[in-house]
Amino acid sequence: MPNFRLAAIAHSLKTPFDLPAKRLSLAVGGVILAGTTVFTGVTGTAQASTSEHISSHGAEHEARALTYGVDVSRYESQYDWNASPAQFGIIKATEGTTFRDASFARHWRELGKKGIVRGAYHFGHPRNNPIAEAEYFLSMVNSQPTKPGDLLVLDLETTDGKSVAEVNAWAKTWLSYVKAKTGVTPMIYSGWNFANTYGRGLAQYPLWVAHYSKDKGTVTPPADWKSWAIHQYTDSPIDQNVSALTPAQLRGLGRPAA
């Protein structure tokens, strides 16, 4: 069994509540799936064709241009942002309609001080009402100061026993509601395999895709996405990510200036 898969499964056992499906589903998807490198942006100046991004030096050239970031939750409650090389950080805020991450306020404040791109994510449960979950997430995020460029993210990686159509419809409702309330087009996070199955019709939302068996930045978009915004390539020793976008382009996906 590949080492990354063992690590992912072990990590998922830390708690029955915080990201259990994430580690296992990503490990399985990572073993099965492969692809070729696509480096395209998402909106505005972030958009570019594959031919513009991939030169004769291909991935070697692009690897030097990737923007590095991490995502954290209560398990990294004391993460030292000042010492971190991250150019963006995304923090767990809420899950379902009852869980608030106790470390969120600290992380949010420290990221604000550091001045790098920051974002908040919500772990969704399709068994619940999507509007109720969206409101719960926004109540947590809005309890803290906001800045232009702050990212909002739906973490979608469990079905709660719902069908493909039901999970897809749930995600569309959550995403469209948050967009209507905030003016931000939310990002969607998921494992490659899950996104490929449940994410069709969601390509208007920027994609943060997890695929641990692919080298950083070398992942093909799943489903009908034509590009990805962020690639989570490992969870060891912390969730690590790269973006094909610059920090300024990432901010362009977040809250608009007042």
Side-chain angles (χ1 to χ4, degrees), residues 76-141:
E76 301 83 24
S77 61
Q78 297 305 311
Y79 183 74
D80 188 351
W81 290 104
N82 285 330
S84 173
Q87 295 172 277
F88 66 89
I90 304 178
I91 316 158
K92 182 171 185 177
T94 51
E95 178 172 344
T97 57
T98 58
F99 178 79
R100 293 176 180 245
D101 195 299
S103 70
F104 177 75
R106 176 196 172 266
H107 286 306
W108 196 251
R109 182 174 62 251
E110 292 302 308
L111 281 170
K113 290 178 182 177
K114 183 161 183 163
I116 63 174
V117 183
R118 66 183 180 182
Y121 76 85
H122 172 80
F123 190 102
H125 281 282
R127 66 173 177 262
N128 298 325
N129 183 292
I131 302 300
E133 288 212 6
E135 286 282 10
Y136 189 67
F137 170 63
L138 291 176
S139 70
M140 180 70 156
V141 173

Side-chain angles (χ1 to χ4, degrees), residues 16-35:
F17 198 30
D18 194 18
L19 309 188
K22 180 176 183 177
R23 307 305 174 209
L24 186 56
S25 66
L26 300 186
V28 173
V31 173
I32 298 173
L33 298 157

Side-chain angles (χ1 to χ4, degrees), residues 145-190:
T146 62
K147 291 183 178 181
D150 288 342
L151 304 171
L152 302 177
V153 184
L154 171 63
D155 181 342
L156 185 68
E157 51 187 286
T158 186
T159 68
D160 289 334
K162 301 297 183 179
S163 68
V164 170
E166 288 171 325
V167 172
N168 186 270
W170 188 96
K172 287 177 178 175
T173 300
W174 191 100
L175 292 161
S176 63
Y177 184 85
V178 169
K179 182 175 181 178
K181 285 290 185 177
T182 64
V184 179
T185 299
M187 189 175 293
I188 183 168
Y189 167 93
S190 193

Side-chain angles (χ1 to χ4, degrees), residues 195-229:
N196 197 49
T197 302
Y198 297 92
R200 298 189 182 278
L202 301 178
Q204 64 180 295
Y205 299 99
L207 176 65
W208 174 13
V209 61
H211 200 321
Y212 293 172
S213 69
K214 303 297 290 182
D215 290 338
K216 54 187 176 183
T218 61
V219 59
T220 300
D224 49 1
W225 276 280
K226 304 302 182 185
S227 61
W228 52 267

